[in-house]
Amino acid sequence: MDLQHTEYNNDLLKKIVYTLVNSIDLIGKKSTSEQFSEKKLLKHALLDLSKQIYANMHALNTLIPDFHVNGFELKRIPIALVSRGAIVDCQTGLYLISFINSDQSLKNEIDAMSLAYAKFLHTFQKEKLQYLENDEKLISQKLRQWEISFKSNYGHLFKSRVTEKWDFKNVKDLRVTSEEGLKNDLNGKITEAVKYNRIKEFFNRQDYTFLYTGFGYFSQYQHYSFANRKMLEDPSTKDEFFGILLTSISAIWIAMNQFSSILGGQGNEEEIKRNNELIKTLYSSIK
């Protein structure tokens, strides 16, 4: 995957990212022209993920211009982190698309993804009240009010809607009505590896392998280890980093077109098509 990180190639990368950011914006505007309903969970999820991918790619667009300049090696860290964020969102979207033929399984997976956030939110709410209020009795009352409100909206995540116990279902519980393969999965964790294996089996596309490769590579810039200290700014790995970045962005681009085919909507099709042709040309010009 090594490609020379020259000023010429960096300029092409800058144009690719800029064009991709424009396309993601157009995909979002096209799809929101449709009237969404609560029954269209997949479209809701893909649109949400598209917004997050757009934000990360927009940030990447601001980091690329002077990346080729010597002395800017530390820019690899934010470039890696925002790219990793976009990759994770792409993998999540493709994973959810793989349940397009099973509405119940799709809903269960979305609920399973909500568990970690719901658990965090409860802890955060309690800590926030403890910070804002001095009266323990008042803190307990306000927390209980919040819990009642939360349960009324997300009661399906709990083992019981009526008890005061804050007891979430586990992933296995949520998958009781899912397809057999998921229902019998005792582990239940939706890791990036789990997403990747499902995506690989469902789509059978080499391009999406680059997403998982990029995820693993860029994760090294988030998770510290003493062994990877040199990786952060070693000039000898600059071309390697550039190659991983290019192939990852190509996979993000292909994933966004997959999102667009599901999201539907009207308008901007011709401009999106022109952008796709331009990105193909730019990629073919890399030396």
Side-chain angles (χ1 to χ4, degrees):
M1 293 184 185
D2 287 17
L3 292 164
Q4 281 197 318
H5 188 204
T6 61
E7 184 174 356
Y8 171 80
N9 281 344
N10 197 85
D11 189 53
L12 289 174
L13 173 61
K14 181 172 65 175
K15 291 174 181 175
I16 289 167
V17 173
Y18 176 83
T19 308
L20 179 54
V21 168
N22 180 254
S23 276
I24 297 171
D25 187 38
L26 292 169
I27 288 168
K29 288 175 178 175
K30 173 174 74 77
S31 59
T32 51
S33 66
E34 252 194 10
Q35 187 67 39
F36 281 13
S37 75
E38 288 302 320
K39 293 181 180 179
K40 296 180 179 178
L41 282 178
L42 182 58
K43 289 190 174 185
H44 281 297
L46 292 180
L47 187 59
D48 290 342
L49 290 164
S50 296
K51 290 174 183 175
Q52 293 178 188
I53 295 165
Y54 172 83
N56 276 315
M57 296 306 293
H58 191 274
L60 181 61
N61 191 46
T62 66
L63 293 166
I64 292 297
D66 55 3
F67 178 46
H68 70 282
V69 179
N70 289 332
F72 280 84
E73 283 81 8
L74 281 175
K75 270 203 170 182
R76 290 189 210 178
I77 297 172
I79 288 172
L81 296 182
V82 297
S83 299
R84 181 183 183 275
I87 287 169
V88 168
D89 288 334
C90 283
Q91 288 209 145
T92 299
L94 293 170
Y95 177 76
L96 292 177
I97 289 171
S98 74
F99 298 98
I100 195 166
N101 296 320
S102 176
D103 290 344
Q104 190 59 53
S105 293
L106 171 67
K107 181 184 181 304
N108 294 345
E109 292 307 291
I110 289 174
D111 286 342
M113 290 178 180
S114 300
L115 282 177
Y117 175 70
K119 291 173 183 177
F120 156 77
L121 206 59
H122 185 251
T123 302
F124 174 72
Q125 187 68 20
K126 188 174 181 179
E127 290 175 350
K128 184 173 73 172
L129 285 170
Q130 288 172 339
Y131 177 78
L132 295 173
E133 305 288 353
N134 294 319
D135 187 328
E136 286 297 325
K137 186 177 180 181
L138 185 59
I139 290 171
S140 295
Q141 288 174 349
K142 288 190 173 183
L143 182 61
R144 183 58 190 146
Q145 288 170 357
W146 179 87
E147 288 175 346
I148 292 169
S149 175
F150 188 89
K151 268 197 173 184
S152 69
N153 292 317
Y154 301 100
H156 58 285
L157 297 179
F158 294 86
K159 290 183 178 178
S160 173
R161 290 174 180 261
V162 294
T163 64
E164 290 189 15
K165 195 174 181 182
W166 199 254
D167 197 5
F168 286 100
K169 293 178 181 177
N170 57 37
V171 175
K172 187 181 177 184
D173 294 331
L174 293 172
R175 285 176 170 168
V176 166
T177 54
S178 293
E179 59 188 57
E180 288 301 316
L182 287 171
K183 189 162 51 175
N184 297 327
D185 181 3
L186 300 179
N187 184 10
K189 293 181 180 178
I190 307 175
T191 64
E192 295 309 308
V194 167
K195 291 179 194 173
Y196 167 66
N197 287 328
R198 173 92 185 182
I199 290 164
K200 182 171 65 172
E201 182 180 345
F202 184 82
F203 291 98
N204 193 28
R205 286 199 64 152
Q206 177 66 31
D207 308 279
Y208 294 147
T209 301
F210 296 138
L211 283 176
Y212 191 59
T213 301
F215 166 77
Y217 188 86
F218 294 135
S219 290
Q220 306 316 307
Y221 288 81
Q222 178 170 11
H223 306 301
Y224 176 77
S225 74
F226 204 75
N228 79 346
R229 291 164 66 233
K230 287 187 176 181
M231 184 181 181
L232 299 181
E233 49 184 322
D234 185 352
S236 69
T237 61
K238 197 172 185 180
D239 288 345
E240 174 186 87
F241 184 97
F242 186 67
I244 297 289
L245 183 60
L246 273 171
T247 52
S248 297
I249 291 170
S250 174
I252 291 169
W253 165 47
I254 291 167
M256 287 310 306
N257 280 307
Q258 183 70 56
F259 282 24
S260 181
S261 70
I262 303 294
L263 283 167
Q266 299 296 320
N268 302 325
E269 287 90 349
E270 287 304 313
E271 192 169 354
I272 292 169
K273 185 177 178 181
R274 285 196 297 271
N275 282 347
N276 283 338
E277 291 302 319
L278 176 57
I279 291 172
K280 283 181 188 176
T281 301
L282 290 168
Y283 264 105
S284 66
S285 302
I286 291 171
K287 298 177 181 178

